[in-house]
Amino acid sequence: MKICMHNWMRPEPIENTIDRMKRLGYDGIQIMGEPRKYDWKHVRGLLDKNNLQCFGSVSIMVKGRDLIHADPYYREMTIAYLKECLDMVHALGGNIFTLVPSEVGKIVAMADAETEWGWAVEGIKQVADHASKLGIRIGLEPLNRFETNFLNRHDQALRLAADVGGDVGVCLDAFHINIEEADPYQAILTTARAGKLVDFHVADNNRFPPGQGNLDWAKLISTLKEGGYNNQLTVEFVVPLDRSPLAAKMEDAGTTATEAELKFIRDHGSDLMSDAEYSRHVEASIKHLRASGAN
Ligand code: LER
Ligand code: MN
């Protein structure tokens, strides 16, 4: 299995991200779905020079990006945004894209369930059409109930993928399935055996790096393999912010983020981390996954 990592959790120059990944033995990146933040040619050159792959990207669903928004202008803008993410993935040589359909943190519906479902199907169809022209496979990602009210479990995501049609699949995230699934292992098996598992995001039950919570990583990895999934694992720890007296002294983050980036990270219960702390987590993640059978 290959191991890659999202980069939205620490806004920093892409050169730093790529250097760190190379140094710590990663196979590649899943680049943040912010196409206008990057010079695609430059990033592709850096990846090639370091012999790293761009596997794909994930949509960054900040306020207003929402395929099930009641205002059609927001839905249209979101479709345009998602298509641009796909263009970036294509330019970087990737072939998967994790799509979160609704705004992260929006947990109150704007319409009845049938109407929302229809908007999602209609919007994802347009995005999937663009993806298939570029040879990119979409994985719909269910999130836990505190991040979205729309798609929370693998069976819902499989149904949405089926209603959209084509080769649209599902992306599962160890953190989210541990909260929402009656049996996270069965959720993996069912999705993988249906040939629908496009990507698997990894963080522990507390969203620390794998190995720093109570999930059984050897079992998770063997379950993925048992289901026939041998593609990449995508590290996505989101370390919680500790504002209690128990917190270790915060090192200076040494990085800047746009207001939107910072809000997105804080909406996930985290904050900016120093290079040293972040690097420790990046290193711990790959070490634990390799030691748990990801090879
Ligand atoms: C994205 O992959 C994810 O897991 C969400 O929590 C974020 O937007
Ligand atoms: Mn995820």
Side-chain angles (χ1 to χ4, degrees), residues 95 128-129 131-132 135-139 161 164-170 195-196 198:
N95 59 9
D129 194 44
S132 74
I136 297 171
R137 192 167 190 211
I138 288 176
V164 171
D167 72 347
V168 169
V170 170
K196 286 288 180 184
V198 173

Side-chain angles (χ1 to χ4, degrees), residues 148-161:
T148 185
N149 63 328
F150 183 62
L151 216 54
N152 301 126
R153 295 190 317 265
H154 79 290
D155 53 330
Q156 301 165 337
L158 282 171
R159 173 60 191 265
L160 184 57

Side-chain angles (χ1 to χ4, degrees), residues 63-79:
K63 195 160 183 54
R65 289 180 181 164
D66 189 2
L67 288 175
I68 55 168
H69 199 288
D71 184 335
Y73 289 108
Y74 277 92
R75 301 202 297 276
E76 281 170 28
M77 178 275 284
T78 306
I79 291 167

Side-chain angles (χ1 to χ4, degrees), residues 122-147:
E122 189 189 308
I124 298 168
K125 269 190 178 157
Q126 291 183 48
V127 180
D129 194 44
H130 192 64
S132 74
K133 285 184 197 136
L134 300 176
I136 297 171
R137 192 167 190 211
I138 288 176
L140 305 174
E141 184 180 9
L143 307 181
N144 73 77
R145 70 191 69 180
F146 307 107
E147 291 188 33

Side-chain angles (χ1 to χ4, degrees), residues 46-261:
L46 286 173
L47 289 169
D48 289 350
K49 200 174 90 190
N50 286 283
N51 211 9
L52 290 171
Q53 210 177 320
C54 170
F55 289 82
S57 177
V58 59
S59 61
I60 301 294
M61 303 306 277
V62 295
K63 195 160 183 54
R65 289 180 181 164
D66 189 2
L67 288 175
I68 55 168
H69 199 288
D71 184 335
Y73 289 108
Y74 277 92
R75 301 202 297 276
E76 281 170 28
M77 178 275 284
T78 306
I79 291 167
Y81 156 70
L82 293 168
K83 286 183 178 173
E84 215 172 287
C85 288
L86 291 167
D87 291 336
M88 173 178 68
V89 170
H90 183 64
L92 296 181
N95 59 9
I96 58 167
F97 180 63
T98 295
L99 194 160
V100 173
S102 185
E103 180 183 313
V104 173
K106 176 171 164 261
I107 52 170
V108 178
M110 289 176 155
D112 62 84
E114 210 176 311
T115 304
E116 281 198 332
W117 196 262
W119 286 335
V121 170
E122 189 189 308
I124 298 168
K125 269 190 178 157
Q126 291 183 48
V127 180
D129 194 44
H130 192 64
S132 74
K133 285 184 197 136
L134 300 176
I136 297 171
R137 192 167 190 211
I138 288 176
L140 305 174
E141 184 180 9
L143 307 181
N144 73 77
R145 70 191 69 180
F146 307 107
E147 291 188 33
T148 185
N149 63 328
F150 183 62
L151 216 54
N152 301 126
R153 295 190 317 265
H154 79 290
D155 53 330
Q156 301 165 337
L158 282 171
R159 173 60 191 265
L160 184 57
D163 287 0
V164 171
D167 72 347
V168 169
V170 170
C171 163
L172 295 179
D173 180 316
F175 172 75
H176 299 305
I177 63 176
N178 179 62
I179 296 173
E180 297 298 342
E181 301 286 353
D183 182 345
Y185 301 101
Q186 191 55 51
I188 292 171
L189 280 180
T190 304
T191 309
R193 283 183 177 148
K196 286 288 180 184
L197 189 57
V198 173
D199 194 15
F200 192 73
H201 294 176
V202 297
D204 223 308
N205 69 298
N206 48 7
R207 236 175 176 180
F208 271 92
Q212 298 183 24
N214 70 8
L215 295 186
D216 182 341
W217 288 93
K219 186 171 174 187
L220 281 169
I221 290 166
S222 66
T223 305
L224 285 161
K225 288 182 179 173
E226 191 186 332
Y229 182 85
N230 275 301
N231 293 340
Q232 71 291 331
L233 299 177
T234 305
V235 171
E236 193 185 39
F237 57 75
V238 188
V239 170
L241 177 65
D242 185 347
R243 288 173 62 81
S244 81
L246 300 178
K249 197 176 165 336
M250 271 284 268
E251 296 166 53
D252 179 23
T255 187
T256 51
T258 64
E259 238 175 80
E261 287 169 339

